[in-house]
Amino acid sequence: MYFLRKNLSITSKWLLLALLGVVLGSCGSFFKNNEDKTPIARVGEAYLYKEDIESLFENNKSKADSATYVTNYINTWASKQLLLSKAKINLPEKKLKIFEQLVSNYRTDLYTGAYKEALVLQSQDTSVSREQLNDFYERQKENFKLKEKLVKLRFVALPVNYLDKDLVSNKLKRFKEEDKKYLDSISIQFKKYNLNDSIWVSAIRVMEEIPLIVPDNQGLYLKNSQFFELQDSLGVYLAKINEVLEINQIAPLSYVEPTIKQLLLSRRKLEFMKKLEAEIIDEAIKEKEFEVYE
């Protein structure tokens, strides 16, 4: 545990320095001598400098457009500054304290959030093993009931007057290795196609690709071992359904695998965050950087 704490401490310090370097580098204007800048507007003690608006000219606007844009920008800036000044004078002191606390909390959350994310990105293992996926799936199967019909199919959409339709149809039905190679070799002639019938797709997606199939008639076509041919003014649709899973059946692992992986990584991240916070507190107490007074 000490070894982990020591490594975490060193990593934390280096990452903090790196993060602060980036933040301070991006906010360098706070530490520059304002006397070196060219002011273009003032509201009370607040100044707007030429350097603050240089990015406004990056889109190569015409001079007339740029002048109008800059004028509008200055007026908007001035309006905000004046309203801010009025607000500080006229709002109740209690409300101002609440706002200042909110700003302080937001700043703290912004810095600490960025720091923790940097630690997670460097330290967290994003790999999920097949064993971990299978184990989670088996334990949580009942939580993966389908909310939509899934289908495994292969299909081809041909132009209406396609000459070798029967040949394509026969090869799509038989689908031996030589048939797959042939269909793949002439796939440039198809309007659209899917020859990978080992993946699950939603019935909604199938209906988008084959517009003649609609919710009212999908039961006629989207069923196990079904082959069908449909035609409309746009084309001819040939399809072979391999397998169908209905709503409320258990989703296959291959279909929910991305979801499971994300869940496992999120849990791992939360555990890392908790451990990180505990380690930081423990280290601070040990180094006498953190004390609680009675």
mmCIF file of all heavy atoms in Angstrom, residues 260-278:
data_model
loop_
_atom_site.group_PDB
_atom_site.id
_atom_site.type_symbol
_atom_site.label_atom_id
_atom_site.label_comp_id
_atom_site.label_asym_id
_atom_site.label_seq_id
_atom_site.Cartn_x
_atom_site.Cartn_y
_atom_site.Cartn_z
ATOM 1 N N ILE A 260 -21.509 -2.817 -21.670
ATOM 2 C CA ILE A 260 -20.878 -3.447 -20.513
ATOM 3 C C ILE A 260 -19.478 -2.891 -20.300
ATOM 4 O O ILE A 260 -19.081 -2.578 -19.170
ATOM 5 C CB ILE A 260 -20.822 -4.980 -20.696
ATOM 6 C CG1 ILE A 260 -22.231 -5.559 -20.691
ATOM 7 C CG2 ILE A 260 -19.972 -5.621 -19.607
ATOM 8 C CD1 ILE A 260 -22.286 -7.048 -20.960
ATOM 9 N N LYS A 261 -18.746 -2.733 -21.380
ATOM 10 C CA LYS A 261 -17.385 -2.196 -21.259
ATOM 11 C C LYS A 261 -17.412 -0.800 -20.645
ATOM 12 O O LYS A 261 -16.607 -0.479 -19.766
ATOM 13 C CB LYS A 261 -16.717 -2.155 -22.636
ATOM 14 C CG LYS A 261 -15.281 -1.673 -22.574
ATOM 15 C CD LYS A 261 -14.600 -1.741 -23.926
ATOM 16 C CE LYS A 261 -13.161 -1.258 -23.805
ATOM 17 N NZ LYS A 261 -12.444 -1.289 -25.107
ATOM 18 N N GLN A 262 -18.348 0.035 -21.088
ATOM 19 C CA GLN A 262 -18.452 1.385 -20.560
ATOM 20 C C GLN A 262 -18.817 1.363 -19.076
ATOM 21 O O GLN A 262 -18.287 2.153 -18.280
ATOM 22 C CB GLN A 262 -19.495 2.183 -21.348
ATOM 23 C CG GLN A 262 -19.469 3.680 -21.084
ATOM 24 C CD GLN A 262 -18.115 4.309 -21.362
ATOM 25 O OE1 GLN A 262 -17.527 4.102 -22.419
ATOM 26 N NE2 GLN A 262 -17.611 5.053 -20.402
ATOM 27 N N LEU A 263 -19.722 0.461 -18.692
ATOM 28 C CA LEU A 263 -20.104 0.336 -17.285
ATOM 29 C C LEU A 263 -18.914 -0.075 -16.423
ATOM 30 O O LEU A 263 -18.689 0.481 -15.342
ATOM 31 C CB LEU A 263 -21.225 -0.684 -17.142
ATOM 32 C CG LEU A 263 -22.627 -0.238 -17.563
ATOM 33 C CD1 LEU A 263 -23.571 -1.444 -17.609
ATOM 34 C CD2 LEU A 263 -23.175 0.821 -16.610
ATOM 35 N N LEU A 264 -18.149 -1.055 -16.905
ATOM 36 C CA LEU A 264 -16.990 -1.534 -16.150
ATOM 37 C C LEU A 264 -15.933 -0.445 -16.010
ATOM 38 O O LEU A 264 -15.339 -0.275 -14.940
ATOM 39 C CB LEU A 264 -16.395 -2.774 -16.823
ATOM 40 C CG LEU A 264 -17.239 -4.044 -16.752
ATOM 41 C CD1 LEU A 264 -16.625 -5.151 -17.592
ATOM 42 C CD2 LEU A 264 -17.408 -4.503 -15.307
ATOM 43 N N LEU A 265 -15.707 0.302 -17.086
ATOM 44 C CA LEU A 265 -14.721 1.382 -17.032
ATOM 45 C C LEU A 265 -15.175 2.504 -16.107
ATOM 46 O O LEU A 265 -14.363 3.107 -15.402
ATOM 47 C CB LEU A 265 -14.446 1.924 -18.439
ATOM 48 C CG LEU A 265 -13.675 0.989 -19.374
ATOM 49 C CD1 LEU A 265 -13.526 1.623 -20.758
ATOM 50 C CD2 LEU A 265 -12.293 0.657 -18.801
ATOM 51 N N SER A 266 -16.479 2.788 -16.113
ATOM 52 C CA SER A 266 -17.007 3.832 -15.231
ATOM 53 C C SER A 266 -16.846 3.420 -13.770
ATOM 54 O O SER A 266 -16.470 4.243 -12.924
ATOM 55 C CB SER A 266 -18.481 4.089 -15.540
ATOM 56 O OG SER A 266 -18.646 4.630 -16.836
ATOM 57 N N ARG A 267 -17.122 2.157 -13.470
ATOM 58 C CA ARG A 267 -16.946 1.664 -12.100
ATOM 59 C C ARG A 267 -15.481 1.732 -11.689
ATOM 60 O O ARG A 267 -15.152 2.120 -10.564
ATOM 61 C CB ARG A 267 -17.443 0.223 -11.997
ATOM 62 C CG ARG A 267 -18.947 0.079 -12.033
ATOM 63 C CD ARG A 267 -19.360 -1.357 -11.771
ATOM 64 N NE ARG A 267 -20.808 -1.506 -11.772
ATOM 65 C CZ ARG A 267 -21.434 -2.643 -11.503
ATOM 66 N NH1 ARG A 267 -20.724 -3.731 -11.206
ATOM 67 N NH2 ARG A 267 -22.752 -2.707 -11.516
ATOM 68 N N ARG A 268 -14.624 1.347 -12.622
ATOM 69 C CA ARG A 268 -13.187 1.373 -12.335
ATOM 70 C C ARG A 268 -12.717 2.804 -12.067
ATOM 71 O O ARG A 268 -11.900 3.050 -11.182
ATOM 72 C CB ARG A 268 -12.435 0.774 -13.527
ATOM 73 C CG ARG A 268 -10.980 0.474 -13.245
ATOM 74 C CD ARG A 268 -10.321 -0.107 -14.477
ATOM 75 N NE ARG A 268 -10.879 -1.398 -14.860
ATOM 76 C CZ ARG A 268 -10.568 -2.028 -15.984
ATOM 77 N NH1 ARG A 268 -9.739 -1.450 -16.853
ATOM 78 N NH2 ARG A 268 -11.088 -3.202 -16.259
ATOM 79 N N LYS A 269 -13.268 3.733 -12.833
ATOM 80 C CA LYS A 269 -12.906 5.139 -12.662
ATOM 81 C C LYS A 269 -13.353 5.655 -11.297
ATOM 82 O O LYS A 269 -12.603 6.356 -10.610
ATOM 83 C CB LYS A 269 -13.546 5.977 -13.777
ATOM 84 C CG LYS A 269 -13.235 7.454 -13.698
ATOM 85 C CD LYS A 269 -13.880 8.198 -14.851
ATOM 86 C CE LYS A 269 -13.622 9.694 -14.766
ATOM 87 N NZ LYS A 269 -14.245 10.426 -15.909
ATOM 88 N N LEU A 270 -14.586 5.310 -10.890
ATOM 89 C CA LEU A 270 -15.089 5.746 -9.586
ATOM 90 C C LEU A 270 -14.239 5.173 -8.451
ATOM 91 O O LEU A 270 -13.927 5.875 -7.481
ATOM 92 C CB LEU A 270 -16.544 5.315 -9.424
ATOM 93 C CG LEU A 270 -17.584 6.097 -10.227
ATOM 94 C CD1 LEU A 270 -18.960 5.453 -10.088
ATOM 95 C CD2 LEU A 270 -17.638 7.560 -9.782
ATOM 96 N N GLU A 271 -13.872 3.903 -8.570
ATOM 97 C CA GLU A 271 -13.032 3.279 -7.555
ATOM 98 C C GLU A 271 -11.670 3.951 -7.489
ATOM 99 O O GLU A 271 -11.131 4.181 -6.398
ATOM 100 C CB GLU A 271 -12.867 1.783 -7.859
ATOM 101 C CG GLU A 271 -14.138 0.972 -7.639
ATOM 102 C CD GLU A 271 -14.023 -0.451 -8.158
ATOM 103 O OE1 GLU A 271 -12.931 -0.822 -8.649
ATOM 104 O OE2 GLU A 271 -15.030 -1.195 -8.092
ATOM 105 N N PHE A 272 -11.123 4.292 -8.644
ATOM 106 C CA PHE A 272 -9.833 4.971 -8.692
ATOM 107 C C PHE A 272 -9.927 6.338 -8.023
ATOM 108 O O PHE A 272 -9.046 6.742 -7.268
ATOM 109 C CB PHE A 272 -9.376 5.122 -10.147
ATOM 110 C CG PHE A 272 -8.072 5.855 -10.287
ATOM 111 C CD1 PHE A 272 -6.860 5.192 -10.171
ATOM 112 C CD2 PHE A 272 -8.050 7.227 -10.534
ATOM 113 C CE1 PHE A 272 -5.658 5.873 -10.296
ATOM 114 C CE2 PHE A 272 -6.860 7.909 -10.657
ATOM 115 C CZ PHE A 272 -5.662 7.228 -10.543
ATOM 116 N N MET A 273 -11.018 7.076 -8.308
ATOM 117 C CA MET A 273 -11.216 8.401 -7.729
ATOM 118 C C MET A 273 -11.295 8.321 -6.200
ATOM 119 O O MET A 273 -10.703 9.135 -5.490
ATOM 120 C CB MET A 273 -12.498 9.036 -8.279
ATOM 121 C CG MET A 273 -12.423 9.432 -9.737
ATOM 122 S SD MET A 273 -11.318 10.820 -10.029
ATOM 123 C CE MET A 273 -11.832 11.288 -11.684
ATOM 124 N N LYS A 274 -12.048 7.344 -5.693
ATOM 125 C CA LYS A 274 -12.174 7.187 -4.249
ATOM 126 C C LYS A 274 -10.816 6.868 -3.617
ATOM 127 O O LYS A 274 -10.446 7.423 -2.576
ATOM 128 C CB LYS A 274 -13.171 6.062 -3.925
ATOM 129 C CG LYS A 274 -14.623 6.417 -4.205
ATOM 130 C CD LYS A 274 -15.549 5.240 -3.882
ATOM 131 C CE LYS A 274 -16.996 5.576 -4.203
ATOM 132 N NZ LYS A 274 -17.902 4.426 -3.952
ATOM 133 N N LYS A 275 -10.090 5.962 -4.253
ATOM 134 C CA LYS A 275 -8.773 5.601 -3.742
ATOM 135 C C LYS A 275 -7.826 6.800 -3.795
ATOM 136 O O LYS A 275 -7.054 7.051 -2.859
ATOM 137 C CB LYS A 275 -8.198 4.437 -4.552
ATOM 138 C CG LYS A 275 -6.876 3.910 -4.019
ATOM 139 C CD LYS A 275 -6.329 2.799 -4.891
ATOM 140 C CE LYS A 275 -7.158 1.543 -4.776
ATOM 141 N NZ LYS A 275 -6.555 0.407 -5.520
ATOM 142 N N LEU A 276 -7.905 7.561 -4.892
ATOM 143 C CA LEU A 276 -7.056 8.737 -5.056
ATOM 144 C C LEU A 276 -7.311 9.749 -3.938
ATOM 145 O O LEU A 276 -6.375 10.265 -3.315
ATOM 146 C CB LEU A 276 -7.322 9.388 -6.415
ATOM 147 C CG LEU A 276 -6.673 10.756 -6.668
ATOM 148 C CD1 LEU A 276 -5.167 10.638 -6.681
ATOM 149 C CD2 LEU A 276 -7.182 11.343 -7.978
ATOM 150 N N GLU A 277 -8.595 10.046 -3.672
ATOM 151 C CA GLU A 277 -8.934 11.019 -2.636
ATOM 152 C C GLU A 277 -8.469 10.541 -1.264
ATOM 153 O O GLU A 277 -7.960 11.332 -0.459
ATOM 154 C CB GLU A 277 -10.445 11.269 -2.653
ATOM 155 C CG GLU A 277 -10.904 12.042 -3.890
ATOM 156 C CD GLU A 277 -12.418 12.109 -4.026
ATOM 157 O OE1 GLU A 277 -13.107 11.605 -3.109
ATOM 158 O OE2 GLU A 277 -12.896 12.653 -5.032
ATOM 159 N N ALA A 278 -8.627 9.240 -0.996
ATOM 160 C CA ALA A 278 -8.176 8.691 0.280
ATOM 161 C C ALA A 278 -6.662 8.776 0.407
ATOM 162 O O ALA A 278 -6.122 9.122 1.471
ATOM 163 C CB ALA A 278 -8.639 7.244 0.412
#
